[in-house]
Amino acid sequence: MQATIIDGKEISNHIRAGLEQKVSKLTAEGIQPGLAVILVGNNQASRTYVTSKQKSCKAIGMHSELIELPEDVEEHVLLNEIEKLNNRDNIHGILVQLPLPAHISETKVIETISPNKDVDGFHPVNIGKMMTGQDTFLPCTPFGVLEMLKYMDIPIAGKHAVIVGRSNIVGKPAGQLLLNENATVTYCHSKTADLASVTKTADILVAAVGRAKMLNADYVKEGAVVIDVGMNRDENGRLCGDVDYNDVVDKAGYITPVPGGVGPMTITMLLYNTVKSAQKVLANRK
Ligand code: NDP
């Protein structure tokens, strides 16, 4: 039987409609949620992501600002820009588009963003809060994965979730968020022996590897929920995931397509975090 397709665009639109109302209420209270994005250099992919983030902000009535710095910008200049944004009242979220040029320390940059405006959820303070189950900004892509599962009413507690990939921005937090929801979590990575024997035991399989169509039906248990975070190009230059969709779609119970799956959720959760930050400012003012 064909898997139920988890439609990231539909879920995104649903969440964004709710956010638009919150933005309008906040704006009426004199706090228009604002996101500042810093783009260093001229990486085309980064520019495309940034443009899309700005467009999405504006579409729901948020303020958005782009700060562009040259590829050879000195680290202290970038850190100084972040400090200025930390101190601005009309900016509730700060995002520095990664990757950065090699001469700039990503760690220093992330740690300079105020944890109160770290809407990417990458600051160690916010990661620590996520790990200890405290309220915080959750990293956008894993947060989007969780929201998709919840929207589809897919049970998580007691299920075996297998995460393929252990990056700090996707794999590790995805596993942590599912653990927080009482899943039993296994992480796989490039040194995992006999990957298929592990992934085939997953009730929920999250692929965050970065290898086009690597996981075919041999890696998937009948009826499993398959979440494909991967964004790759196939042999024809077309966007595709880490999962071999056509091979898996008849075996899985649920599946996310690429494009139109996790992708749209990432920006939506960025908007969500920025609105949440503005709401905190309002709550503190009252
Ligand atoms: P990274 O390259 O940082 O991490 C990849 C992970 O996959 C690593 O943990 C690596 O293991 C593991 N891995 C690599 N090869 C294998 C293998 N053969 N078997 C098992 N594990 C393997 O990537 P990201 O986490 O940043 O991104 C993953 C994918 O998600 C990419 O396609 C990226 O484009 C996409 N992405 C999509 C987003 C969205 O909005 N949809 C947002 C962010 C990313 P090890 O640690 O041992 O090296």
Side-chain angles (χ1 to χ4, degrees):
M1 220 177 74
Q2 256 226 347
T4 300
I5 292 160
I6 306 180
D7 184 341
K9 275 195 221 146
E10 179 197 312
I11 304 171
S12 262
N13 288 340
H14 173 78
I15 298 173
R16 287 187 198 199
L19 289 175
E20 193 169 358
Q21 287 184 358
K22 286 185 180 153
V23 169
S24 124
K25 276 192 195 142
L26 281 160
T27 306
E29 297 263 13
I31 301 178
Q32 183 190 24
L35 175 73
V37 179
I38 302 183
L39 176 64
V40 179
N42 210 2
N43 177 307
Q44 209 37 56
S46 292
R47 187 166 289 280
T48 307
Y49 290 136
V50 162
T51 307
S52 170
K53 285 167 187 172
Q54 284 202 291
K55 233 171 93 181
S56 306
C57 278
K58 287 184 181 144
I60 63 161
M62 284 170 52
H63 169 68
S64 113
E65 240 174 78
L66 174 64
I67 292 152
E68 293 194 59
L69 298 170
E71 181 82 21
D72 60 355
V73 66
E74 287 184 59
E75 188 180 83
H76 73 91
V77 175
L78 170 57
L79 299 183
N80 190 40
E81 285 296 333
I82 296 172
E83 290 291 3
K84 280 196 261 174
L85 294 169
N86 283 343
N87 292 320
R88 279 194 31 207
D89 286 345
N90 67 336
I91 295 297
H92 306 94
I94 303 169
L95 180 153
V96 179
Q97 186 64 43
L98 303 178
L100 290 167
H103 68 280
I104 295 174
S105 156
E106 274 187 13
T107 305
K108 255 197 213 169
V109 165
I110 289 169
E111 290 183 3
T112 302
I113 298 172
S114 161
N116 296 326
K117 296 189 178 185
D118 166 42
V119 286
D120 253 341
F122 292 165
H123 194 289
V125 165
N126 289 327
I127 293 171
K129 285 188 174 176
M130 174 188 67
M131 292 208 65
T132 51
Q134 298 177 60
D135 181 45
T136 186
F137 298 121
L138 300 175
C140 301
T141 301
F143 188 14
V145 169
L146 184 63
E147 287 301 303
M148 290 177 114
L149 295 172
K150 288 189 172 169
Y151 183 90
M152 299 301 290
D153 273 332
I154 293 169
I156 303 173
K159 300 295 177 190
H160 183 204
V162 175
I163 319 295
V164 190
R166 56 172 165 180
S167 71
N168 288 334
I169 60 168
V170 188
K172 276 186 207 159
Q176 183 63 51
L177 291 183
L178 294 176
L179 178 65
N180 290 359
E181 297 291 327
N182 299 313
T184 302
V185 178
T186 302
Y187 288 96
C188 299
H189 45 77
S190 67
K191 308 290 186 295
T192 298
D194 194 0
L195 181 65
S197 74
V198 185
T199 57
K200 264 160 80 175
T201 65
D203 302 309
I204 300 170
L205 178 60
V206 180
V209 188
R211 285 174 188 249
K213 302 181 191 174
M214 183 184 110
L215 303 177
N216 61 25
D218 296 342
Y219 289 78
V220 176
K221 182 169 83 172
E222 192 84 41
V225 178
V226 178
I227 307 287
D228 190 356
V229 179
M231 289 220 283
N232 316 292
R233 295 278 163 193
D234 69 10
E235 56 285 0
N236 303 313
R238 262 185 249 127
L239 196 60
C240 73
D242 293 337
V243 173
D244 186 343
Y245 183 90
N246 291 334
D247 200 39
V248 171
V249 72
D250 292 328
K251 196 172 188 187
Y254 290 86
I255 192 165
T256 61
V258 177
V262 177
M265 294 299 291
T266 298
I267 295 188
T268 299
M269 302 331 288
L270 175 72
L271 302 178
Y272 178 98
N273 282 345
T274 309
V275 171
K276 176 177 172 150
S277 174
Q279 281 176 319
K280 278 192 183 165
V281 171
L282 179 64
N284 289 337
R285 202 177 69 179
K286 280 184 172 168

